[in-house]
Amino acid sequence: MSSRSFKQDLTCVFGQPVAENPTQAMIEAAYRHHGLDWRYLTIEVAPDDLGDAVRGLRAMGFRGGNLTIPHKVAVIEHLDGLTEAAEKIGAVNCMVWQGEGDDRKLIGENTDGKGFVESLREVTDPAGKSVVMFGAGGAARAIGVELALAGTTSFTVVNRTEQRGLELAKRLRDKTKAKAEFVHWEGDFAIPEGTDVVVNSTSIGLFPDVDARLALDVSTLTEGMVVADVIPNPPETNLVRDARDRGCTVLDGLGMLVNQGVIGFRLWTGVDPDPSVMRAALEEVFGE
Ligand code: NDP
């Protein structure tokens, strides 16, 4: 008789489209590295099927999972509760189990902003900083709220669509102690003097539109600034190149992607994964 188990512990991502999401490569590299017989499945789920998919995840004993576009807000009604950060952000990208037995609850967490803050901490402390943020979508919301919870004092939200930008500035003022103003994005934006951190949280530069450039007066990027891009694919965006040429401290989107994966991994398995293994797996995917 063999004592070998043929049953792996399961985790997943639900999204649509989802086939090009590289998270499996990063997470499974870490499962192997840490000797865990776990799997991370990339599962296409249509919006109308999301409730059934979450019930399936519960029924089949998944240990946790991620949500990506278009499920980050819609999933909330199918969960048993939210963490404080996910509630403030208004979106969930990570499902985790809390409690034991009958008290076990499937909780929505948001690791996007935390992943960003962790990669920023590698170069500067967010506390007391003044931040210019391009974009006001899901990634911007998560980054803004987590930066504010980490002590960032002021935000300038620059967005093409007025309504979304106004909503994010209001969310930051209402849900955190930070100051936040909205600027409508028209023409090349000039970064105000005294800005510490500039964040691209739009999808500008994302594959396949790799030559796209932010409408930004590049001459206003100065040496003391940290410039961070959320775009993971390709990590070397025009903004990353321009900011490096201007002598800024630069963070690419892989740092955020790896760090949010590290947090999810830890929440699901209880094991602190090696981020360098996860980054190497992504660099292989993106052919760096
Ligand atoms: P959303 O669709 O919610 O928001 C997109 C944002 O980009 C909006 O503010 C939108 O402006 C803006 N935008 C898009 N195209 C343009 C354009 N041509 N000109 C000006 N503004 C534009 O997307 P998400 O917030 O979920 O994702 C944004 C990016 O973040 C994606 O590229 C995604 O890959 C990346 N991301 C990276 C992560 C990482 O770990 N590195 C994690 C999560 C996301 P408007 O409101 O006017 O439409």
Side-chain angles (χ1 to χ4, degrees), residues 60-78:
M60 289 184 271
F62 275 64
R63 302 290 295 269
N66 288 130
L67 287 314
T68 188
I69 287 172
H71 302 315
K72 289 185 181 182
V73 175
V75 75
I76 292 173
E77 64 174 291
H78 304 295

Side-chain angles (χ1 to χ4, degrees), residues 69 72 112 135-140 159-161 164 185 201-204 206 230-232 253-254 256-257 260:
I69 287 172
K72 289 185 181 182
D112 280 338
N159 200 50
R160 175 182 65 177
T161 303
R164 281 225 265 182
W185 197 355
S201 45
T202 73
S203 42
I204 298 171
L206 187 66
V230 299
I231 302 296
L254 286 188
M256 175 178 174
L257 189 59
Q260 62 84 25

Side-chain angles (χ1 to χ4, degrees), residues 115-131 147 150-152 195-199 223-228 249-251:
F116 179 85
V117 169
E118 279 198 21
S119 50
L120 184 62
R121 280 193 198 285
E122 288 164 18
V123 296
T124 193
D125 183 350
K129 296 294 190 302
S130 171
V131 172
L147 280 175
T152 294
T195 299
D196 303 302
V197 180
V198 177
V199 186
E223 240 171 75
M225 291 176 189
V226 176
V227 176
T249 302
V250 178
L251 294 172

